[in-house]
């Protein structure tokens, strides 16, 4: 894993000292809120509905046991004993007090973590495939590139005041678990003639105007990548609109100027940038790559095959929550934070410590946070799976629902978020509990439901197979449903099904939708998304709006 | 005909804790919506908001929120403001934990 240098540590300590002084000046009245707000946002500190919120970056979702334990300590000492993992591979603390935040940042700094560029119109926390370095089908580990991008972008003087936030995601697998097509820049590592490079997508994004990224370049050699990215961001910084914040994202720049124009400008900008880099970035990349060397994998599966064969609960857990590892005696284990009725993405400090212990004892001291708000043990020897399962069960973390209907992404919504137009969390809780009661979840199979509490789409509803968007209709919560979205390699934005539903009607509507799928699917191997693609929206709309369907038939 | 004025309370977040607070009739900040001053006309509402905004050493982000008279004092009208009087729905955190809500 990437190890901080003295330079990194000094940088953080200095930055935190600076913020500590700023907080003190706000409290003693020498800074107004207007002066202080941009300073606190530069350090990830928001003011939400009921309290402040501190957003901490977990770069490319990777952390070790010591870092996870520190996150737990912070939750206990300065928050309410839990944290919220987000779709951007961050953790958010919902209840910090202003005077404590400098101490929280120092505690993070002790384990090489921070909240820099988790807010503001800068290049945000770089996200990556949560199975990086572990997945069987991976072309290359995306994290060294992500770390290189992080080092280049952190406090980059040219890019601190972009027109709008800027998000970069990297995947090293054709499976694209990083939703690269929904980012300002999406990078997909590819191989050509034995050389590693990146396919560069640009102009994707969710929010108010959802768009799928377009291919700007199908192969950029690695040693050209940073200058190429710098050229893109520089072009956007100049060309992007600043007259209207809703039109300021690069997706609009690409849409309004056309991908050819953007490409021409990037190509024109690139040579000067390349000359300035001078190869220094590749020396840094080599050092970073060494830090990400794979652990020494141990051979053998112990009693795993026997347990798998004889214990149906364990088998179901393994079948649902593990993914093929590059080493045949290993598994990638996804630990669901979505026990039925739980708040998606929340983990208590005790749960964080259990996960840290398990990573340290059994799984090469590595953890990941996924954009689906779950926690992953990426390198778990199969021989330890049963012990890990038992420990997770004791901590309430053994729910076998990864990728199923109750594995819902939900943003904080109006239970926390100041921008929300409706709640998300209780809707997710009720849907999960309903399908648990119906015992239908495993029968239904892979199905992604994603919920956002406003058009900003932090809950990725546009790329949910079923997306739910909470709105305010004349002072009442109302939920719009989208269908057929997909965040995978061939990403698709879902289509609106029709009028929205009242708060107490949503779960019934989702149940009708899912039952309609069970009625019309060809066989159990045809997923909800496959069925939707085969039949289109009609049977699903009929299930959502039975009255209308009846009227049309009459 | 001019539109009827919907009564307002002045609300904000406390500077240090972030808690939701309301301006009472004495010009102090209370955490209890029912103890807020219910303002019945536009002119007074605007003046009181300015007074509130001047207290930047205590609060952040003051604004006017619609409210109505209830048996125990002012009540929120919109669901957003109702959530702000109690805290999130997933945990008994915030005001509901502190026993501030009068509901
Ligand atoms: C609670 C404080 C939050 C605030 C104030 C906030 C604000 C926003 C805003 C304004 C946008 C739209 C940006 C635009 O279109 O220009 C956005 C998008 C987004 N946010 Fe958040 N958000 C919050 C929390 C979260 C959380 C908890 C997550 C993850 C669960 C998240 C992940 C995202 C994602 C994935 C997008 C869409 C990607 C895109 O805009 O291209 N945010 N957020
Ligand atoms: S989608 Fe809206 S409600 Fe949800 S976290 Fe983002 S800004 Fe808040």
């Amino acid at each position: 894993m990437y190890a901080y240098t003295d330079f990194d540590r000094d940088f953080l300590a200095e930055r935190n000292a600076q913020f500590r002084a700023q907080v003190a000046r706000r409290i003693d009245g020498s800074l107004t809120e207007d002066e202080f707000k941009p300073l606190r946002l530069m350090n990830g500190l928001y003011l939400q509905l009921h309290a402040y919120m501190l957003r901490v970056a977990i770069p490319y979702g990777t952390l070790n046991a010591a870092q996870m334990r520190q996150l737990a300590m912070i939750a206990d000492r300065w928050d309410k004993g839990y944290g919220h993992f987000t779709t951007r591979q961050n953790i958010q603390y919902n209840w910090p007090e202003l005077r404590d935040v400098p101490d929280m940042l120092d505690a993070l700094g002790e384990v090489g973590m921070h909240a820099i560029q988790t807010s503001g119109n800068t290049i945000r926390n770089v996200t990556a495939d949560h199975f990086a370095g572990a997945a069987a089908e991976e072309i290359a580990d995306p994290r060294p590139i992500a770390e290189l991008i992080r080092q280049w972008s952190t406090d980059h003087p040219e890019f601190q005041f972009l027109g709008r936030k800027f998000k970069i995601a990297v995947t090293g697998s054709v499976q694209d678990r990083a939703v690269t097509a929904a980012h300002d820049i999406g990078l997909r590592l590819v191989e050509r003639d034995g050389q590693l490079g990146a396919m560069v997508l640009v102009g994707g994004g969710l929010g108010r105007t959802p768009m799928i990224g377009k291919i700007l370049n199908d192969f950029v050699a690695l040693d050209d990548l940073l200058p190429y990215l710098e050229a893109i961001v520089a072009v956007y910084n100049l060309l992007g609109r600043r007259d209207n914040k809703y039109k300021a994202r690069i997706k609009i720049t690409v849409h309004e100027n056309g991908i050819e124009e953007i490409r021409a400008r990037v190509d024109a900008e690139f040579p000067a940038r390349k000359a300035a880099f001078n190869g220094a970035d590749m020396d840094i990349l080599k050092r970073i790559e060494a830090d990400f060397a794979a652990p020494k994998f141990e051979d053998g599966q112990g009693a795993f095959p026997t347990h798998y064969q004889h214990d149906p609960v364990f088998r179901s857990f393994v079948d649902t929550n593990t993914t093929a590892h590059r080493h045949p005696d290993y598994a990638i284990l996804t630990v669901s934070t979505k026990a039925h009725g739980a708040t998606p993405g929340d983990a208590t400090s005790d749960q964080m410590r259990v996960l840290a212990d398990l990573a340290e004892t059994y799984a090469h001291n590595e953890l990941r946070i996924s954009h689906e708000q779950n926690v992953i043990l990426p390198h778990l020897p199969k021989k330890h799976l049963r012990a890990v399962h038992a420990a997770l069960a004791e901590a309430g973390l053994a729910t076998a629902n990864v990728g199923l209907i109750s594995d819902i992404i939900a943003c904080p919504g109006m239970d926390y978020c100041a921008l929300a137009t409706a709640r998300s969390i209780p809707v997710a809780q009720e849907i999960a509990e309903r399908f648990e009661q119906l015992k239908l979840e495993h029968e239904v199979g892979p199905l992604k439901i994603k919920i956002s509490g406003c058009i900003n789409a932090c809950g990725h509803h546009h790329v949910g197979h079923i997306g739910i968007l909470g709105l305010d209709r004349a002072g009442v919560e109302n939920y719009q449903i989208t269908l057929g979205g997909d965040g995978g390699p061939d990403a698709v934005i879902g289509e609106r099904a029709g009028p929205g539903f009242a708060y107490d009607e949503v779960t019934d509507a989702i149940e009708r939708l899912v039952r309609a799928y069970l009625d019309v699917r060809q066989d159990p191997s045809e997923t909800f998304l496959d069925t939707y693609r085969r039949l289109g929206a009609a049977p699903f709309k009929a299930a959502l709006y039975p009255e209308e369907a009846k009227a049309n038939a009459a | 005909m001019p539109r009827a004025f919907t009564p307002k309370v002045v609300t904000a977040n406390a500077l240090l804790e972030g808690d939701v607070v309301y301006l009472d009739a004495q010009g102090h900040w209370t955490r209890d919506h029912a103890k807020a001053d219910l303002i019945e006309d536009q002119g007074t509402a605007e003046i009181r908001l300015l007074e509130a905004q001047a207290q930047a050493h205590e609060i952040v982000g003051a604004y006017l929120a619609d409210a109505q008279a209830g048996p125990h004092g002012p009540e929120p009208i919109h669901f957003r403001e109702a959530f702000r009087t109690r805290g999130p729905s997933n945990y008994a955190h915030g005001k509901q934990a502190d026993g501030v809500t009068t509901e």
Side-chain angles (χ1 to χ4, degrees):
Chain A
M1 214 158 95
Y2 180 68
Y4 267 43
T5 61
D6 286 341
F7 174 86
D8 298 328
R9 275 186 292 270
D10 292 348
F11 171 83
L12 271 193
E14 213 170 287
R15 171 80 175 235
N16 289 349
Q18 206 177 48
F19 186 57
R20 184 179 293 279
Q22 290 161 349
V23 170
R25 280 153 64 211
R26 174 67 183 103
I27 292 174
D28 76 18
S30 33
L31 284 179
T32 64
E33 185 61 21
D34 284 349
E35 289 163 337
F36 179 62
K37 186 175 173 184
L39 302 174
R40 71 165 154 78
L41 287 176
M42 282 174 80
N43 291 282
L45 184 62
Y46 288 73
L47 182 62
Q48 293 295 301
L49 221 49
H50 316 287
Y52 288 96
M53 179 272 278
L54 181 67
R55 180 182 289 161
V56 175
I58 301 171
Y60 31 87
T62 297
L63 70 177
N64 61 27
Q67 292 173 321
M68 187 66 123
R69 278 195 200 102
Q70 192 78 337
L71 295 180
M73 187 282 282
I74 291 170
D76 279 337
R77 182 149 172 206
W78 293 296
D79 208 88
K80 294 191 188 291
Y82 74 101
H84 180 71
F85 293 114
T86 81
T87 46
R88 300 256 331 125
Q89 296 179 316
N90 296 310
I91 183 169
Q92 297 189 168
Y93 292 105
N94 285 323
W95 304 94
E97 295 194 7
L98 180 56
R99 60 165 79 81
D100 293 334
V101 175
D103 290 343
M104 296 170 82
L105 294 178
D106 280 347
L108 289 167
E110 283 169 20
V111 292
M113 298 183 79
H114 62 76
I116 298 168
Q117 289 181 207
T118 59
S119 174
N121 294 333
T122 61
I123 298 174
R124 299 287 188 91
N125 182 34
V126 179
T127 54
D129 183 351
H130 42 262
F131 293 167
E137 83 294 336
E138 187 172 81
I139 298 159
D141 188 336
R143 291 172 305 160
I145 294 297
E147 175 59 29
L148 185 68
I149 295 171
R150 179 170 85 121
Q151 295 191 11
W152 155 75
S153 62
T154 301
D155 263 16
H156 192 304
E158 188 181 345
F159 303 138
Q160 292 309 299
F161 297 96
L162 296 171
R164 202 73 182 85
K165 58 166 80 169
F166 201 92
K167 300 175 179 178
I168 304 179
V170 198
T171 181
S173 157
V174 289
Q175 302 272 345
D176 194 2
R177 284 168 290 256
V179 209
T180 56
H183 285 75
D184 297 280
I185 294 179
L187 299 174
R188 298 175 174 175
L189 299 183
V190 285
E191 225 170 33
R192 181 188 279 181
D193 308 327
Q195 199 199 357
L196 197 60
M199 174 190 278
V200 180
L201 285 81
V202 70
L206 301 175
R208 173 182 300 256
T209 318
M211 287 190 190
I212 297 298
K214 297 187 175 64
I215 297 175
L216 183 65
N217 194 322
D218 61 8
F219 188 88
V220 176
L222 278 198
D223 46 2
D224 286 343
L225 190 59
L226 270 199
Y228 192 79
L229 293 181
E230 193 164 279
I232 298 173
V233 187
V235 165
Y236 161 66
N237 203 15
L238 263 175
L239 201 61
R241 290 180 58 171
R242 288 174 191 261
D243 58 320
N244 178 341
K245 86 180 235 203
Y246 301 119
K247 298 197 169 165
R249 298 285 295 272
I250 196 175
K251 61 189 170 188
I252 307 291
T253 318
V254 171
H255 181 73
E256 289 183 348
N257 293 275
I259 188 80
E260 290 76 22
E261 170 72 14
I262 301 293
R263 189 178 296 124
R265 284 179 185 254
V266 170
D267 288 346
E269 182 70 27
F270 172 72
R273 300 277 169 179
K274 172 77 181 162
F277 271 87
N278 215 1
D281 54 326
M282 288 298 101
D283 295 337
I284 295 171
L285 181 63
K286 280 207 190 67
R287 185 175 73 76
I288 295 173
E289 274 170 346
D291 278 340
F292 283 102
K296 222 169 138 333
F297 296 124
E298 309 147 14
D299 296 332
Q301 301 198 353
F304 168 74
T306 318
H307 292 138
Y308 182 79
Q309 204 181 351
H310 296 292
D311 179 345
V313 173
F314 177 63
R315 185 163 60 241
S316 160
F317 176 76
V318 172
D319 288 346
T320 313
N321 291 19
T322 68
T323 308
H325 192 278
R326 55 193 264 207
H327 189 291
D329 295 333
Y330 275 65
I332 302 171
L333 176 65
T334 301
V335 178
S336 166
T337 68
K338 285 83 171 270
H340 301 97
T343 302
D346 278 9
T348 65
S349 49
D350 286 342
Q351 289 177 330
M352 290 185 223
R353 279 185 286 265
V354 167
L355 289 162
D357 291 350
L358 292 175
E360 203 167 56
T361 312
Y362 298 112
H364 300 281
N365 194 21
E366 250 197 65
L367 295 140
R368 304 287 170 75
I369 307 304
S370 74
H371 77 269
E372 287 166 319
Q373 302 180 292
N374 290 320
V375 183
I376 288 144
L377 296 176
H379 305 299
L380 180 58
K382 285 184 180 165
K383 64 184 174 203
H384 296 318
L385 250 167
R386 188 165 162 98
V388 168
H389 176 244
L392 290 173
E394 209 163 299
L397 285 169
T399 311
N401 66 344
V402 170
L404 303 182
I405 204 165
S406 61
D407 185 8
I408 297 172
I409 292 180
C411 79
M414 206 185 276
D415 286 305
Y416 297 89
C417 179
L419 302 179
T421 43
R423 286 173 296 172
S424 322
I425 292 168
V427 174
Q429 289 173 308
E430 199 181 311
I431 293 170
E433 281 175 330
R434 169 73 60 89
F435 283 90
E436 171 68 358
Q437 279 155 17
L438 294 172
K439 296 286 169 220
L440 269 181
E441 165 151 87
H442 285 267
E443 167 77 18
V444 170
L447 173 56
K448 291 185 195 291
I449 299 185
K450 304 181 198 267
I451 307 178
S452 305
C454 79
I455 55 166
N456 288 326
C458 304
H460 285 191
H461 66 275
H462 292 118
V463 291
H465 304 164
I466 297 176
I468 304 177
L469 165 61
L471 295 169
D472 176 341
R473 286 274 173 269
V476 189
E477 288 169 297
N478 187 274
Y479 295 85
Q480 217 167 63
I481 292 180
T482 54
L483 297 171
D486 179 13
D490 304 306
V492 182
I493 304 289
E495 283 177 55
R496 220 187 109 183
F501 293 89
Y503 178 75
D504 55 6
E505 295 171 354
V506 190
T507 305
D508 289 343
I510 300 295
E511 185 184 332
R512 290 200 300 279
L513 204 52
V514 172
R515 287 192 186 278
Y517 153 68
L518 292 175
D519 284 347
V520 299
R521 73 178 176 189
Q522 273 170 335
D523 60 70
S525 75
E526 192 185 46
T527 64
F528 177 89
L529 192 60
D530 291 340
T531 306
Y532 179 84
R533 286 178 176 164
R534 177 171 59 86
L535 295 175
F540 300 102
K541 284 189 183 173
L544 281 174
Y545 308 103
E547 294 306 316
E548 216 171 284
K550 239 186 276 164
N552 289 343
Chain B
M1 220 177 75
R3 267 232 318 255
F5 178 75
T6 308
K8 303 276 190 282
V9 295
V10 179
T11 179
N13 290 78
L15 171 65
L16 292 180
E17 302 86 4
D19 294 4
V20 175
V21 293
Y22 306 94
L23 196 65
D24 72 12
Q26 285 72 47
H28 299 129
W29 294 99
T30 168
R31 278 156 171 73
D32 187 350
H33 192 287
K35 299 204 174 92
D37 181 25
L38 189 67
I39 309 166
E40 304 279 356
D41 73 281
Q42 178 93 40
T44 313
E46 279 165 18
I47 290 168
R48 302 229 63 201
L49 179 60
L50 286 175
E51 286 167 11
Q53 281 164 345
Q55 302 186 38
H57 54 290
E58 260 191 88
I59 54 103
V60 183
Y63 63 94
L64 296 169
D66 290 350
Q68 64 195 11
H72 307 289
E75 291 171 352
I77 294 177
H78 192 274
F79 62 89
R80 180 179 195 271
E81 294 305 320
F83 297 151
R84 288 179 80 239
T85 65
R86 44 175 197 263
S89 22
N90 58 335
Y91 304 120
H93 288 164
K95 288 171 186 282
Q96 53 203 342
D98 305 332
V100 175
T101 47
T102 39
E103 283 180 289

